[in-house]
Structure formats: structure tokens, C-alpha cells
Amino acid sequence: CLVTSKAVLLGAYVKLWAVVAEFDNDGNVLRSGEHIFEDLYLSNDMGVYALVTQHNSVFDIRSSWKLVDDTTSLNNYSVSLSTENGQPISGPVEVPITETTYTFENVTENYYLVCVMVNGNGFSSDYVCSDVIYARAPTDTEYIPEVEPAETLITSDNSVKISWSLSDEKLEGVTAFLIEFSQN
């Protein structure tokens, strides 16, 4: 039996019990035994994302992630914040496996990375990190566009499809969009 990350389509914890036997040309068993193979496969579309919001002279860094599709055998996520050169700032913080967001509050102006790892019973994934983000106050001359949705479509009780159109000129310098959604 051979399992590779390409063979596992969903990001999940995989544990296989296998009986292994070696035979000679006549079909006689030369050796046999059993082995447990286990690994944590991260999703093909995994990612960690971060967004900065400003509050007076400090910032909040909102992070979100997708690392695994099936969380059945997993316990939690460990989320940490560090400077771009790896200097720890905060964390790791344990986040329940049912949540995929965390906010680091009241950080100062700097370049940051948010890193997330998946934890199970006795095993953990490697950290997966966001791109470097820069927490800083905009200058007086910077234009930050506010975008009203051109179309909003409620697709279920817990999801909404939003679309809009902006000219290339309005998108110049935009690195992320913050979409806030609340149900009344």
C-alpha cells in the first residue's frame, strides 16, 4: 500500500494499519509483520491570510486560514504572530478546531507574519505562514477605496455571494479587501 500526498485529495489526518508480507517466487512467506502508517496531509488549497485594521495609533491583525478539509481527528490550531524576521511577538495561541480566524490586538507599526499549525493527539503539522504584512498608518495622501457591492446574493443561511467592479486605477496599491458580514 502506498499513500502519497497526491493520493490524498482532502487535507486530513490519515492513519493506516497494514499487514506486510514478503513472498519468495514459490509463494512462500519469507517475512511478515504489521505497521501503522500515519501522517497529516494539508489541503491542496491551504493558506494563511492576514489583514491589518487601525485603531488610533495601534493595529489589529486579523488572521484566517484553511489548512485541512477534514478535522475529525484533530484537536486545535496553534496561531502565532512574529516579525518578518521570525522574532516572536505573540503566541502560540490555541484556537479550537471549529474556528479558522484569530485577531491579534493592539500591535504597533511593523512588518508581521501570522503562522498557523494543526494539532492532533501526539502530532502536529509544520507551521504555514501568511505573506509579510505591514501594519502602518496611511499617509494623508493615500486613497483607500470603499467599495459598495454591485451585487449581493444570499446563497444559504450562512453564506453570501458578493461581487463588485473597480477600475484598475481604483485598484492601484490595493493589497486586500476587508469584507464584514453579520446576520441580523
Side-chain angles (χ1 to χ4, degrees):
C1 178
L2 175 64
V3 176
T4 69
S5 60
K6 289 182 181 177
V8 178
L9 298 178
L10 292 176
Y13 173 66
V14 177
K15 186 173 186 177
L16 299 172
W17 175 75
V19 175
V20 182
E22 178 184 3
F23 299 92
D24 64 14
N25 290 337
D26 296 326
N28 299 315
V29 175
L30 298 175
R31 293 181 279 212
S32 67
E34 61 183 75
H35 188 74
I36 294 176
F37 299 91
E38 55 188 330
D39 208 343
L40 179 63
Y41 295 96
L42 297 180
S43 177
N44 284 338
D45 56 351
M46 70 179 168
V48 176
Y49 312 96
L51 180 69
V52 176
T53 54
Q54 183 179 5
H55 302 283
N56 298 322
S57 62
V58 294
F59 305 90
D60 290 347
I61 297 180
R62 293 178 176 186
S63 58
S64 65
W65 56 87
K66 178 174 184 186
L67 297 182
V68 291
D69 302 300
D70 179 7
T71 59
T72 305
S73 300
L74 305 173
N75 296 341
N76 57 41
Y77 298 101
S78 294
V79 184
S80 63
L81 180 69
S82 63
T83 62
E84 70 174 325
N85 60 6
Q87 182 69 31
I89 301 293
S90 182
V93 176
E94 287 189 1
V95 175
I97 200 66
T98 55
E99 297 179 24
T100 56
T101 62
Y102 185 80
T103 300
F104 294 96
E105 297 177 335
N106 300 321
V107 299
T108 58
E109 185 171 321
N110 206 340
Y111 289 92
Y112 294 101
L113 288 171
V114 175
C115 298
V116 182
M117 123 182 359
V118 183
N119 301 306
N121 290 328
F123 63 91
S124 296
S125 71
D126 291 333
Y127 272 109
V128 178
C129 298
S130 68
D131 291 335
V132 173
I133 55 171
Y134 186 25
R136 68 173 175 87
T139 65
D140 292 338
T141 60
E142 283 185 299
Y143 168 71
I144 300 175
E146 281 202 22
V147 179
E148 293 295 325
E151 179 184 348
T152 304
L153 174 68
I154 298 174
T155 58
S156 73
D157 288 344
N158 61 0
S159 66
V160 174
K161 178 184 175 185
I162 300 173
S163 64
W164 62 84
S165 178
L166 286 176
S167 67
D168 289 343
E169 180 181 293
K170 285 188 175 181
L171 285 173
E172 188 175 327
V174 174
T175 58
F177 287 98
L178 170 62
I179 300 172
E180 294 181 334
F181 171 76
S182 63
Q183 277 184 305
N184 295 333

